[in-house]
Amino acid sequence: MSDQQKRLQMALEAAHMAIWDSRLIDGQVIDGTVSWSAKGAALLGLEERALTQPFRTFLGFVHVDDQGPLLEVMQEAVRQRDGYALQYRVVWPDGSERWLAAKAQVFTDADGQPDRTLGIIWDITEHMLRELLIAERKELAEVTLSSIGDGVITTDPYGKTRYLNRVAEQLTGWSNELARGMDISQTLPLVDERTGEALEHVAYKCLQQRQAIGISAHSQLVTRDGRHIAVEDSAAPIWSRDGDILGAVVVFRDVSHERKLSQQLSWHATHDTLTGLINRREFEHLVAGALHTAKQDGHVHALLYLDLDQFKVINDTCGHGAGDVLLQLLAKMLQAQMRDSDILARLGGDELGVLLPHCPLDHARQIGEQLRQSIRDFRFAWDSRSFELGVSIGMVEISQDSKSMSELLSAADQACYLAKEQGRNRIHVYQESDVMLAQRHGEMLWISRLNEAFAHDYFRLYAMPIVHLNDSQEHHDEVLIRIRNSQGDLILPGAFIPAAERYDMMLSIDRWVIRAVCAHIESVRDSLPPIEAMAESRRRAPALYSVNLSGMSLADAGLHDYITEQFVQFAIAPEQLCFEITETAVIANLPKAQVFMRQLKAMGCRFSLDDFGSGFSSFGYLKALPVDYLKIDGVFVRDIASNAINRAMVKAINEVGHVMGLKTVAEYVEDEATLAVIRELGIDYAQGYAVGSLRPLTAGVD
């Protein structure tokens, strides 16, 4: 062997390569032979010695899937009289697989006919396994990215788009192929949803600051076809092993539904759902802001408190549905009368508030007079009847001398009260002397009226049906109290109950109602002949009457004994009485309320939790109370047919109530659409003008 051949042999061995020498017969590879060096034979898993074998024998070592392609590549090279390179698998005698790579050149004889191929061959098994592992990981990563619910876009170090997963393609409108190489600000344009202006792109910030950028809350994606989609987006750098930034990965997702729901919840937290006006809490927040500017900058504002006259008459005569329509119409009409900067709010049932920013008292009086006259001129038609309205307006100035937000609201309320007392349908501007005057006058007036009602038996009881939606035989009424005074006016509880609570007369009123209901039950029972009464009792369960109890009565240690005395005196079955208590009243008197309720429950009385859902910890307190019925707050029921959030609230309350073994009652079911939803949700009882109207409890009571 010459020195040159020795050097070649050493070089080949150093590179773990061997000689690959294939002889041809009549230009055919398959009919020829293969000669191996000792290292070459070892590549086939054979003994390490020089070897010549028929090509067909060699082909038997090649993986069955690679035999055809290998022969085709070599034969084509022979035909072209050119070189070739290929990779293929061989199967060793022990069954293991190895990858080999070969490079060779075609040589010709003296006549120019191909007679051999000569080249080198080496083992690339480890390299191929690495490549396969990398390919597998890449495929796994792409499958993972394609299957997750978030959009993913990767970039190079300059913000050029490299890859979009399936969700990113769907959201942006760009395909992976079209987007590749484009600036990410083009494939993922982001704008501020509040201003519509382009945002500093999260990917560029990430690349510039060399750190992860957290989720932004007000981003909108502008799609390829110009649509705007609310998204949450974040970005993180892609690092090399050497600490260089290879690019960025941006993750984003469609949050249109969540953001819309959040906006709806935010709107509902600050607005009245019936009228669309801002609610009391938000109004108080704005009044506090106005007071701050008055004290800090010397600005002057005006606060108005409006109480509609005759509204309760319309509500009781035509139903809550008519009252709701009236409030909606008035809200639109009054807003049209006011400046853009003025703020109109609904503070309660028929009470409205107006904040007039930067408005001196004289100008505020003019605006108030315009509002009063507009309401006075308004005619409300319902079921062929027409109603006139009035409004009593209390007005107070917000200035540097004003004390606090709560005192401002109290002052406006007092001024409105005096406007009512002075004849209604007028404006009263608050003065310092009004507070003591109103308190003194109100105290004397209501103590006198309530004592007169007790003395002359002016109290009247009315019944509002609570209708079981599946059992037509059940008879259940809520008992409501009114005052019919000496002039024949019917005074609603909204007028005298607050006063009774203020002047500690609720205990007496609650006891009067309990005794009167027991007497009514006795009179109904005794009015039927014995045989008829027996048949009636067999046909259906005795009527159930729900009586409202105040928070003061819940804390009254003697009420339990008083109720027991009435049961004994009138021979009443305790199962015929259900006591309605409000969530807030129970929470305020929780320990005493629990004892009181358990005592009466042991006797057979039932309990209903009124206005459920209006508190902040409803479900938590519910577990601690032995109640039988949940009356879902009417604020959730009223527009349930059109308000998805209220529907979800009612559904949740109903389901939790049923899990706890309680019956559910929906208040303010005023129309067929609401009733249909209530039935669909599986609520047990309905109360409202869609299922029954208010009637005197005792025949002959007007």
Side-chain angles (χ1 to χ4, degrees), residues 81 95 123 155 182 249 283 320 388-389 408 437 467 517 553 577 592 682:
R81 292 170 170 75
D123 191 315
T155 76
M182 295 176 61
V249 56
F283 186 71
H320 290 287
E388 291 185 5
L389 294 169
L408 280 170
L437 176 63
V467 178
V517 171
S553 291
L577 250 65
K592 292 182 179 179

Side-chain angles (χ1 to χ4, degrees), residues 19 313 344:
I19 298 295
V313 172
L344 177 65

Side-chain angles (χ1 to χ4, degrees), residues 9 44 104 119 204 207 213 225 290 316 340 362 383 390 411 458 489 534 626 689:
Q9 185 68 32
L44 297 181
Y204 296 144
L207 293 170
I213 303 299
D225 58 5
D316 283 356
D340 291 340
D362 289 342
D383 286 345
Y458 286 159
D489 299 324
M534 186 178 298
Y689 284 92

Side-chain angles (χ1 to χ4, degrees), residues 592-606:
K592 292 182 179 179
Q594 287 175 309
V595 173
F596 172 77
M597 293 170 71
R598 287 182 183 130
Q599 288 175 334
L600 288 182
K601 279 277 286 187
M603 295 174 62
C605 296
R606 301 180 219 182

Side-chain angles (χ1 to χ4, degrees), residues 549-550 553-557 559-560 563 567 574 577-583 585-587 589-610 621-630 662:
L549 286 184
S550 65
S553 291
L554 284 176
D556 178 20
L559 183 62
H560 170 265
I563 293 172
F567 289 162
L577 250 65
C578 176
F579 293 101
E580 282 201 13
I581 49 183
T582 65
E583 181 184 347
V586 171
I587 293 170
N589 304 278
L590 189 59
K592 292 182 179 179
Q594 287 175 309
V595 173
F596 172 77
M597 293 170 71
R598 287 182 183 130
Q599 288 175 334
L600 288 182
K601 279 277 286 187
M603 295 174 62
C605 296
R606 301 180 219 182
F607 283 89
S608 178
L609 197 57
D610 199 9
Y621 282 106
L622 185 58
K623 292 185 291 187
L625 301 173
V627 297
D628 303 275
Y629 302 93
L630 288 185
L662 309 179

Side-chain angles (χ1 to χ4, degrees), residues 98-134:
R98 308 290 292 181
W99 277 91
L100 303 180
K103 282 188 177 181
Q105 188 68 37
V106 177
F107 291 88
T108 59
D109 59 17
D111 297 327
Q113 296 302 314
D115 70 341
R116 70 188 294 195
T117 71
L118 182 62
I120 54 175
I121 187 167
W122 67 98
D123 191 315
I124 59 168
T125 303
E126 290 186 8
H127 169 75
M128 292 301 294
L129 290 176
R130 281 198 301 270
E131 289 293 316
L132 288 171
L133 182 60
I134 291 170

Side-chain angles (χ1 to χ4, degrees), residues 1 14 24 30 71 75 97 116 167 178 212 279 303 358 364 415 432 436 440 449 454 555 558 629 634 652:
M1 184 182 293
L24 310 178
I30 190 67
L71 188 58
Q75 192 64 54
E97 291 184 9
R116 70 188 294 195
V167 175
L178 286 174
N279 59 22
L303 171 63
H358 308 289
E432 287 289 340
M436 293 304 297
R440 197 162 50 246
R449 286 181 178 178
F454 280 114
Y629 302 93

Side-chain angles (χ1 to χ4, degrees), residues 309-311 314 375-376 378-380 386-390:
D309 303 328
Q310 305 304 313
F311 178 79
I314 295 172
I375 293 173
R376 184 63 180 167
F378 184 78
R379 296 292 180 271
F380 179 63
S386 180
F387 297 89
E388 291 185 5
L389 294 169

